[in-house]
Amino acid sequence: MMARGAARLDVFDPGFARTRRGARTACATLLSGLTLAVATSVLGVAEPLRITLFGAGACFLGALLVTDAHRSDRAHTFGWASVVSAVAIVVTVELSRIAVWAAVAFLVLQMFLSYALRPWSPRAGNLAVIAALITFLAGAWHITSDHIG
């Protein structure tokens, strides 16, 4: 019975590539959430659950969207994704303070760039998608300037 199940997995998931990637994504999301839970607890943050869920969700989306074949390329993309995410959060918060339509226009620009940049560079396209998702989450969760950190 076990051999038949393993043979079936070999057909649908050669080398357990999808299983490994799924486990890595789940572990990274869980670790991100736990790290943020501890950090918000130590720092005495007013809304720890909101921040923890935002960070875990951002980690999950990033892990799904960073699809580089080589480990070193994934590391570079994750590094750029953290920079892009930080910029997206700060710009979204500042634009939301000025006018909601400006933050929406910023989101639409990022959505356009996610398609326009992909033929030029898959990494740039993925980073634009990550920025758009982070912008959407920051706007939907009403992140304010005092919650950016």
Side-chain angles (χ1 to χ4, degrees), residues 44-127:
V45 175
E47 298 179 49
L49 181 62
R50 188 172 166 183
I51 293 170
T52 301
L53 290 176
F54 179 86
C59 177
F60 177 71
L61 293 172
L64 286 177
L65 293 170
V66 175
T67 57
D68 299 309
H70 301 291
R71 180 177 289 190
S72 62
D73 291 339
R74 282 192 304 271
H76 287 114
T77 303
F78 274 120
W80 282 111
S82 63
V83 171
V84 165
S85 295
V87 169
I89 290 170
V90 170
V91 170
T92 301
V93 167
E94 291 304 315
L95 288 176
S96 296
R97 287 178 45 195
I98 297 169
V100 175
W101 66 265
V104 171
F106 181 58
L107 176 61
V108 170
L109 173 67
Q110 291 170 334
M111 290 173 163
F112 169 76
L113 288 175
S114 69
Y115 286 99
L117 293 176
R118 194 165 303 279
W120 177 69
S121 165
R123 178 181 287 165
N126 286 347
L127 291 173

Coordinates of all heavy atoms in Angstrom, one line a residue, residues 44-127:
G44 N 5.6 45.1 23.3 CA 4.4 45.6 23.9 C 3.5 46.4 22.9 O 2.9 47.4 23.2
V45 N 3.4 45.9 21.7 CA 2.6 46.5 20.6 C 1.1 46.4 21.0 O 0.7 45.4 21.5 CB 2.9 45.8 19.3 CG1 2.1 46.4 18.2 CG2 4.4 46.0 18.9
A46 N 0.4 47.5 20.6 CA -1.0 47.5 20.9 C -1.9 46.5 20.2 O -2.8 45.9 20.7 CB -1.6 48.9 20.6
E47 N -1.6 46.2 18.9 CA -2.3 45.3 18.1 C -1.4 44.2 17.5 O -1.1 44.1 16.3 CB -3.0 46.0 16.9 CG -4.0 47.1 17.4 CD -4.6 47.8 16.2 OE1 -5.1 47.1 15.3 OE2 -4.6 49.0 16.2
P48 N -1.0 43.3 18.4 CA 0.0 42.3 17.9 C -0.6 41.3 16.9 O 0.1 40.9 16.0 CB 0.4 41.6 19.2 CG -0.7 41.8 20.2 CD -1.3 43.1 19.8
L49 N -1.8 40.9 17.1 CA -2.4 39.9 16.1 C -2.4 40.5 14.7 O -2.1 39.8 13.7 CB -3.8 39.5 16.6 CG -4.5 38.5 15.7 CD1 -3.7 37.2 15.7 CD2 -5.9 38.2 16.1
R50 N -2.8 41.7 14.6 CA -2.9 42.3 13.2 C -1.6 42.4 12.6 O -1.4 42.1 11.4 CB -3.5 43.7 13.4 CG -3.8 44.5 12.2 CD -4.5 45.7 12.6 NE -4.6 46.6 11.5 CZ -5.1 47.8 11.5 NH1 -5.6 48.3 12.7 NH2 -5.2 48.6 10.5
I51 N -0.5 42.8 13.3 CA 0.8 42.9 12.8 C 1.4 41.5 12.4 O 2.0 41.3 11.4 CB 1.7 43.6 13.7 CG1 1.3 45.1 13.8 CG2 3.2 43.5 13.3 CD1 1.9 45.9 14.9
T52 N 1.1 40.5 13.3 CA 1.6 39.2 13.1 C 1.0 38.6 11.9 O 1.6 37.9 11.0 CB 1.3 38.3 14.3 OG1 1.9 38.9 15.5 CG2 1.8 36.9 14.2
L53 N -0.3 38.7 11.7 CA -1.0 38.2 10.5 C -0.6 38.9 9.2 O -0.4 38.2 8.2 CB -2.5 38.3 10.7 CG -3.1 37.4 11.7 CD1 -4.6 37.6 11.9 CD2 -2.9 35.9 11.4
F54 N -0.4 40.2 9.3 CA 0.1 40.9 8.1 C 1.5 40.4 7.7 O 1.7 40.1 6.5 CB 0.2 42.4 8.4 CG 0.7 43.2 7.3 CD1 -0.1 43.6 6.3 CD2 2.1 43.5 7.2 CE1 0.3 44.4 5.2 CE2 2.5 44.2 6.1 CZ 1.7 44.7 5.1
G55 N 2.4 40.2 8.6 CA 3.7 39.7 8.3 C 3.7 38.3 7.8 O 4.5 38.0 6.9
A56 N 2.9 37.4 8.5 CA 2.9 36.1 8.0 C 2.2 36.0 6.6 O 2.7 35.2 5.8 CB 2.1 35.2 9.0
G57 N 1.2 36.8 6.4 CA 0.6 36.8 5.0 C 1.6 37.3 4.0 O 1.7 36.8 2.9
A58 N 2.4 38.3 4.3 CA 3.4 38.9 3.4 C 4.4 37.8 3.1 O 4.8 37.6 1.9 CB 4.0 40.1 3.9
C59 N 4.8 37.1 4.1 CA 5.8 36.0 3.9 C 5.3 34.9 3.0 O 6.0 34.5 2.1 CB 6.2 35.5 5.3 SG 7.4 34.1 5.2
F60 N 4.0 34.6 3.3 CA 3.4 33.5 2.5 C 3.3 33.9 1.0 O 3.7 33.2 0.1 CB 2.0 33.2 3.0 CG 1.2 32.2 2.2 CD1 1.6 30.9 2.2 CD2 0.2 32.6 1.4 CE1 0.9 29.9 1.5 CE2 -0.6 31.7 0.7 CZ -0.2 30.3 0.7
L61 N 2.9 35.1 0.8 CA 2.8 35.6 -0.6 C 4.2 35.7 -1.3 O 4.3 35.3 -2.5 CB 2.1 37.0 -0.7 CG 0.6 37.0 -0.3 CD1 0.1 38.4 -0.2 CD2 -0.2 36.1 -1.3
G62 N 5.1 36.2 -0.6 CA 6.5 36.2 -1.1 C 7.0 34.9 -1.4 O 7.6 34.6 -2.5
A63 N 6.8 33.9 -0.5 CA 7.3 32.5 -0.8 C 6.6 31.9 -2.0 O 7.2 31.1 -2.7 CB 7.0 31.7 0.4
L64 N 5.3 32.2 -2.2 CA 4.6 31.7 -3.4 C 5.1 32.4 -4.7 O 5.2 31.7 -5.7 CB 3.1 32.0 -3.3 CG 2.4 31.1 -2.3 CD1 0.9 31.5 -2.3 CD2 2.5 29.6 -2.7
L65 N 5.5 33.6 -4.6 CA 5.8 34.4 -5.8 C 7.3 34.3 -6.2 O 7.7 34.7 -7.4 CB 5.4 35.8 -5.7 CG 3.9 35.9 -5.6 CD1 3.5 37.4 -5.2 CD2 3.2 35.6 -7.0
V66 N 8.2 34.0 -5.3 CA 9.6 33.9 -5.6 C 9.9 32.5 -6.2 O 9.9 31.5 -5.4 CB 10.5 34.2 -4.4 CG1 11.9 34.0 -4.7 CG2 10.2 35.6 -3.9
T67 N 10.0 32.4 -7.5 CA 10.1 31.1 -8.1 C 11.4 30.9 -8.9 O 11.5 30.1 -9.8 CB 8.9 31.0 -9.2 OG1 9.1 32.1 -10.1 CG2 7.6 31.1 -8.5
D68 N 12.4 31.6 -8.5 CA 13.7 31.4 -9.1 C 14.2 29.9 -8.9 O 14.0 29.3 -7.9 CB 14.8 32.3 -8.5 CG 14.4 33.8 -8.7 OD1 14.1 34.1 -9.9 OD2 14.4 34.5 -7.7
A69 N 14.9 29.4 -9.9 CA 15.3 28.0 -9.9 C 16.5 27.7 -8.9 O 16.5 26.7 -8.3 CB 15.7 27.6 -11.3
H70 N 17.4 28.7 -8.8 CA 18.6 28.5 -8.0 C 18.4 29.1 -6.6 O 17.8 30.2 -6.5 CB 19.8 29.0 -8.7 CG 20.1 28.3 -10.0 ND1 20.4 27.0 -10.1 CD2 20.0 28.7 -11.2 CE1 20.6 26.6 -11.4 NE2 20.3 27.7 -12.1
R71 N 19.0 28.5 -5.6 CA 18.8 29.0 -4.2 C 19.4 30.4 -4.1 O 18.8 31.3 -3.5 CB 19.5 28.1 -3.3 CG 19.5 28.5 -1.8 CD 20.1 27.6 -0.9 NE 19.2 26.4 -0.9 CZ 19.4 25.4 0.0 NH1 20.4 25.4 0.8 NH2 18.6 24.4 0.0
S72 N 20.6 30.7 -4.7 CA 21.2 32.0 -4.6 C 20.3 33.1 -5.3 O 20.2 34.2 -4.8 CB 22.6 32.0 -5.3 OG 22.5 31.7 -6.6
D73 N 19.7 32.7 -6.4 CA 18.7 33.6 -7.1 C 17.5 33.9 -6.2 O 17.0 35.1 -6.2 CB 18.3 33.1 -8.4 CG 19.4 33.1 -9.5 OD1 20.4 33.8 -9.3 OD2 19.3 32.3 -10.4
R74 N 17.0 32.9 -5.5 CA 15.9 33.1 -4.6 C 16.3 34.0 -3.5 O 15.5 34.9 -3.1 CB 15.4 31.8 -4.1 CG 14.5 31.0 -5.0 CD 13.8 29.8 -4.4 NE 14.6 28.9 -3.7 CZ 15.2 27.8 -4.2 NH1 15.0 27.6 -5.5 NH2 16.0 27.0 -3.5
A75 N 17.5 33.8 -3.0 CA 17.9 34.7 -1.9 C 18.0 36.2 -2.3 O 17.6 37.1 -1.6 CB 19.3 34.2 -1.4
H76 N 18.5 36.4 -3.5 CA 18.6 37.8 -4.1 C 17.2 38.3 -4.2 O 16.9 39.5 -3.9 CB 19.3 37.8 -5.4 CG 20.8 37.6 -5.3 ND1 21.4 36.5 -5.8 CD2 21.7 38.4 -4.7 CE1 22.7 36.6 -5.5 NE2 22.9 37.8 -4.8
T77 N 16.3 37.5 -4.8 CA 14.9 38.0 -5.0 C 14.2 38.3 -3.7 O 13.5 39.3 -3.5 CB 14.1 37.0 -5.8 OG1 14.8 36.7 -7.0 CG2 12.7 37.5 -6.1
F78 N 14.4 37.4 -2.6 CA 13.8 37.7 -1.3 C 14.4 39.0 -0.7 O 13.7 39.8 -0.1 CB 14.1 36.5 -0.4 CG 13.0 35.5 -0.5 CD1 13.3 34.2 -0.8 CD2 11.7 35.8 -0.2 CE1 12.4 33.2 -0.9 CE2 10.7 34.8 -0.3 CZ 11.1 33.5 -0.6
G79 N 15.7 39.2 -0.9 CA 16.3 40.5 -0.5 C 15.7 41.7 -1.1 O 15.3 42.7 -0.4
W80 N 15.5 41.6 -2.4 CA 14.9 42.7 -3.1 C 13.4 42.8 -2.7 O 12.9 43.9 -2.6 CB 15.0 42.6 -4.7 CG 16.3 43.0 -5.2 CD1 17.3 42.2 -5.7 CD2 16.9 44.3 -5.2 NE1 18.4 42.9 -6.0 CE2 18.2 44.2 -5.7 CE3 16.4 45.5 -4.8 CZ2 19.0 45.3 -5.9 CZ3 17.2 46.6 -5.0 CH2 18.4 46.5 -5.5
A81 N 12.8 41.7 -2.5 CA 11.3 41.7 -2.1 C 11.2 42.4 -0.7 O 10.2 43.2 -0.6 CB 10.8 40.3 -2.0
S82 N 12.1 42.3 0.2 CA 12.0 43.0 1.4 C 12.1 44.5 1.3 O 11.4 45.3 1.9 CB 13.0 42.4 2.5 OG 14.3 42.7 2.0
V83 N 13.0 44.9 0.4 CA 13.2 46.3 0.1 C 11.9 46.9 -0.6 O 11.4 47.9 -0.2 CB 14.4 46.6 -0.8 CG1 14.5 48.0 -1.3 CG2 15.7 46.2 0.0
V84 N 11.4 46.1 -1.6 CA 10.2 46.5 -2.4 C 9.0 46.6 -1.5 O 8.2 47.5 -1.5 CB 10.0 45.6 -3.6 CG1 8.6 45.7 -4.2 CG2 11.1 45.8 -4.6
S85 N 8.9 45.6 -0.6 CA 7.8 45.6 0.4 C 7.8 46.8 1.3 O 6.8 47.4 1.6 CB 7.8 44.3 1.2 OG 7.6 43.2 0.3
A86 N 9.0 47.1 1.9 CA 9.1 48.2 2.8 C 8.8 49.6 2.1 O 8.0 50.4 2.6 CB 10.5 48.3 3.3
V87 N 9.2 49.7 0.8 CA 8.9 50.9 0.1 C 7.4 51.0 -0.2 O 6.8 52.0 -0.1 CB 9.7 51.0 -1.2 CG1 9.2 52.1 -2.2 CG2 11.2 51.2 -0.9
A88 N 6.8 49.8 -0.6 CA 5.4 49.8 -0.9 C 4.6 50.2 0.3 O 3.6 50.9 0.2 CB 5.0 48.4 -1.4
I89 N 4.9 49.7 1.5 CA 4.2 50.0 2.7 C 4.3 51.5 3.0 O 3.3 52.2 3.3 CB 4.7 49.2 3.9 CG1 4.3 47.7 3.7 CG2 4.1 49.7 5.2 CD1 4.9 46.8 4.7
V90 N 5.5 52.1 3.0 CA 5.7 53.5 3.3 C 5.0 54.4 2.3 O 4.3 55.3 2.7 CB 7.2 53.8 3.4 CG1 7.4 55.3 3.5 CG2 7.9 53.1 4.5
V91 N 5.1 54.1 1.0 CA 4.4 54.9 0.0 C 2.9 54.8 0.1 O 2.2 55.8 0.1 CB 4.9 54.5 -1.4 CG1 4.1 55.2 -2.5 CG2 6.4 54.9 -1.6
T92 N 2.4 53.6 0.4 CA 1.0 53.4 0.5 C 0.4 54.2 1.7 O -0.6 54.9 1.6 CB 0.6 51.9 0.7 OG1 1.1 51.2 -0.5 CG2 -0.9 51.7 0.8
V93 N 1.1 54.1 2.8 CA 0.7 54.8 4.0 C 0.7 56.3 3.8 O -0.3 57.0 4.1 CB 1.6 54.4 5.2 CG1 1.4 55.4 6.4 CG2 1.3 53.0 5.7
E94 N 1.8 56.8 3.2 CA 1.9 58.3 2.9 C 0.8 58.7 1.9 O 0.2 59.8 2.1 CB 3.3 58.7 2.5 CG 4.3 58.5 3.6 CD 4.0 59.3 4.8 OE1 3.6 60.5 4.7 OE2 4.1 58.7 5.9
L95 N 0.6 58.0 0.9 CA -0.4 58.3 -0.1 C -1.8 58.3 0.5 O -2.7 59.1 0.1 CB -0.3 57.4 -1.3 CG 0.9 57.7 -2.2 CD1 0.9 56.6 -3.4 CD2 0.9 59.1 -2.8
S96 N -2.1 57.3 1.4 CA -3.4 57.2 2.0 C -3.7 58.4 2.9 O -4.8 58.8 3.1 CB -3.5 55.9 2.9 OG -3.4 54.8 2.0
R97 N -2.6 59.0 3.5 CA -2.8 60.2 4.3 C -3.2 61.3 3.5 O -3.9 62.2 3.9 CB -1.5 60.5 5.1 CG -1.2 59.5 6.2 CD 0.0 59.8 6.9 NE 0.2 61.2 7.2 CZ 1.4 61.7 7.6 NH1 2.4 61.0 7.7 NH2 1.5 63.0 7.8
I98 N -2.7 61.4 2.2 CA -3.0 62.5 1.3 C -4.3 62.3 0.7 O -5.2 63.2 0.8 CB -1.9 62.6 0.2 CG1 -0.5 62.9 0.8 CG2 -2.3 63.6 -0.8 CD1 0.6 62.7 -0.1
A99 N -4.6 61.2 0.0 CA -5.8 60.9 -0.6 C -5.9 59.4 -0.9 O -4.9 58.8 -1.4 CB -6.0 61.7 -1.9
V100 N -7.0 58.8 -0.7 CA -7.2 57.4 -0.9 C -7.0 57.1 -2.4 O -6.4 56.1 -2.8 CB -8.6 56.9 -0.4 CG1 -8.8 55.5 -0.8 CG2 -8.7 57.1 1.1
W101 N -7.5 58.0 -3.3 CA -7.4 57.7 -4.7 C -5.9 57.6 -5.1 O -5.6 56.9 -6.1 CB -8.1 58.8 -5.5 CG -7.5 60.2 -5.4 CD1 -7.9 61.2 -4.6 CD2 -6.4 60.7 -6.2 NE1 -7.2 62.3 -4.7 CE2 -6.2 62.0 -5.7 CE3 -5.6 60.2 -7.2 CZ2 -5.2 62.8 -6.2 CZ3 -4.6 61.0 -7.7 CH2 -4.5 62.3 -7.2
A102 N -5.0 58.4 -4.4 CA -3.6 58.3 -4.8 C -3.0 56.9 -4.5 O -2.2 56.4 -5.2 CB -2.8 59.4 -4.0
A103 N -3.4 56.3 -3.3 CA -3.0 55.0 -3.0 C -3.6 54.0 -4.0 O -2.9 53.0 -4.3 CB -3.4 54.7 -1.6
V104 N -4.8 54.2 -4.4 CA -5.4 53.3 -5.4 C -4.7 53.4 -6.7 O -4.4 52.4 -7.4 CB -6.9 53.6 -5.5 CG1 -7.5 52.8 -6.7 CG2 -7.6 53.3 -4.3
A105 N -4.3 54.6 -7.1 CA -3.6 54.8 -8.4 C -2.2 54.1 -8.3 O -1.7 53.5 -9.2 CB -3.4 56.3 -8.7
F106 N -1.6 54.2 -7.1 CA -0.3 53.5 -6.9 C -0.4 52.0 -7.0 O 0.4 51.3 -7.7 CB 0.2 53.9 -5.5 CG 1.6 53.3 -5.1 CD1 2.7 53.5 -5.9 CD2 1.7 52.5 -4.0 CE1 3.9 52.9 -5.6 CE2 2.9 51.9 -3.7 CZ 4.0 52.2 -4.4
L107 N -1.5 51.4 -6.5 CA -1.8 50.0 -6.6 C -2.0 49.6 -8.1 O -1.5 48.6 -8.6 CB -3.0 49.6 -5.8 CG -3.5 48.2 -5.9 CD1 -2.4 47.2 -5.4 CD2 -4.8 48.0 -5.1
V108 N -2.8 50.4 -8.8 CA -3.1 50.1 -10.2 C -1.8 50.2 -11.0 O -1.5 49.3 -11.9 CB -4.1 51.1 -10.8 CG1 -4.2 51.0 -12.3 CG2 -5.5 50.8 -10.1
L109 N -0.9 51.2 -10.7 CA 0.4 51.2 -11.4 C 1.2 50.0 -11.2 O 1.8 49.4 -12.1 CB 1.2 52.5 -10.9 CG 2.6 52.6 -11.4 CD1 2.7 52.8 -12.9 CD2 3.3 53.7 -10.7
Q110 N 1.2 49.5 -9.9 CA 2.0 48.3 -9.6 C 1.4 47.0 -10.3 O 2.1 46.2 -10.8 CB 2.0 48.0 -8.1 CG 2.9 49.0 -7.4 CD 2.7 48.9 -5.9 OE1 1.7 48.5 -5.4 NE2 3.7 49.3 -5.2
M111 N 0.1 47.0 -10.4 CA -0.6 45.9 -11.1 C -0.1 45.9 -12.6 O 0.2 44.9 -13.2 CB -2.1 46.0 -11.0 CG -2.6 45.7 -9.7 SD -4.4 46.0 -9.6 CE -4.8 45.1 -8.2
F112 N -0.2 47.1 -13.2 CA 0.3 47.2 -14.6 C 1.7 46.8 -14.8 O 2.1 46.0 -15.7 CB 0.1 48.7 -15.1 CG 0.7 48.9 -16.4 CD1 0.2 48.5 -17.6 CD2 1.9 49.6 -16.5 CE1 0.8 48.7 -18.8 CE2 2.6 49.8 -17.7 CZ 2.0 49.4 -18.9
L113 N 2.6 47.3 -13.9 CA 4.0 46.9 -13.9 C 4.3 45.4 -13.8 O 5.2 44.9 -14.4 CB 4.8 47.7 -12.9 CG 5.0 49.2 -13.2 CD1 5.7 49.9 -12.0 CD2 5.7 49.4 -14.4
S114 N 3.4 44.8 -13.0 CA 3.6 43.3 -12.8 C 3.5 42.6 -14.1 O 4.2 41.5 -14.3 CB 2.7 42.8 -11.8 OG 1.4 42.8 -12.2
Y115 N 2.7 43.1 -15.0 CA 2.5 42.4 -16.4 C 3.5 43.0 -17.3 O 4.1 42.3 -18.1 CB 1.1 42.6 -16.9 CG 0.1 41.7 -16.2 CD1 -0.7 42.2 -15.2 CD2 0.0 40.4 -16.6 CE1 -1.6 41.4 -14.6 CE2 -0.9 39.6 -16.0 CZ -1.7 40.1 -15.0 OH -2.6 39.3 -14.3
A116 N 3.8 44.3 -17.3 CA 4.6 45.0 -18.3 C 6.1 44.6 -18.1 O 6.9 44.5 -19.0 CB 4.5 46.5 -18.1
L117 N 6.5 44.3 -16.8 CA 7.9 44.0 -16.6 C 8.3 42.5 -16.8 O 9.4 42.2 -16.9 CB 8.3 44.4 -15.1 CG 8.3 45.9 -14.8 CD1 8.6 46.2 -13.4 CD2 9.3 46.6 -15.7
R118 N 7.3 41.7 -16.7 CA 7.5 40.2 -16.8 C 8.3 39.8 -18.1 O 9.2 39.0 -18.0 CB 6.2 39.5 -16.7 CG 6.5 38.0 -16.4 CD 5.2 37.3 -15.9 NE 4.6 37.9 -14.7 CZ 5.1 37.7 -13.5 NH1 6.1 36.9 -13.3 NH2 4.5 38.2 -12.5
P119 N 7.9 40.3 -19.3 CA 8.7 39.9 -20.4 C 10.2 40.4 -20.4 O 11.1 39.7 -20.9 CB 8.0 40.5 -21.6 CG 6.7 40.8 -21.1 CD 6.8 41.1 -19.7
W120 N 10.4 41.5 -19.7 CA 11.8 42.0 -19.6 C 12.6 41.3 -18.6 O 13.7 40.9 -18.8 CB 11.6 43.5 -19.2 CG 12.9 44.2 -19.0 CD1 13.9 44.5 -19.9 CD2 13.4 44.6 -17.7 NE1 15.0 45.1 -19.3 CE2 14.7 45.2 -18.0 CE3 12.9 44.6 -16.4 CZ2 15.5 45.7 -17.0 CZ3 13.7 45.2 -15.4 CH2 15.0 45.7 -15.7
S121 N 11.9 40.9 -17.4 CA 12.6 40.2 -16.4 C 11.5 39.6 -15.5 O 10.7 40.3 -14.8 CB 13.4 41.2 -15.5 OG 13.8 40.6 -14.3
P122 N 11.5 38.2 -15.4 CA 10.6 37.6 -14.5 C 10.7 38.0 -13.0 O 9.8 38.2 -12.3 CB 10.9 36.1 -14.6 CG 11.6 36.0 -16.0 CD 12.3 37.3 -16.2
R123 N 12.0 38.3 -12.6 CA 12.2 38.7 -11.2 C 11.5 40.1 -11.0 O 10.9 40.3 -10.0 CB 13.7 38.8 -10.9 CG 13.9 39.4 -9.5 CD 15.4 39.5 -9.2 NE 15.9 38.2 -9.0 CZ 17.2 37.9 -9.0 NH1 18.1 38.9 -9.2 NH2 17.7 36.7 -8.8
A124 N 11.7 41.0 -12.0 CA 11.1 42.3 -11.8 C 9.5 42.2 -11.8 O 8.9 42.9 -11.0 CB 11.5 43.2 -13.0
G125 N 9.0 41.3 -12.6 CA 7.5 41.1 -12.6 C 7.1 40.5 -11.3 O 6.0 41.0 -10.8
N126 N 7.8 39.6 -10.7 CA 7.4 39.0 -9.4 C 7.5 40.0 -8.3 O 6.7 40.1 -7.4 CB 8.3 37.8 -9.1 CG 8.0 36.6 -9.9 OD1 7.0 36.5 -10.6 ND2 8.9 35.6 -9.9
L127 N 8.6 40.9 -8.4 CA 8.7 41.9 -7.4 C 7.6 42.9 -7.5 O 7.1 43.4 -6.5 CB 10.0 42.6 -7.5 CG 11.3 41.8 -7.1 CD1 12.5 42.5 -7.5 CD2 11.2 41.4 -5.7

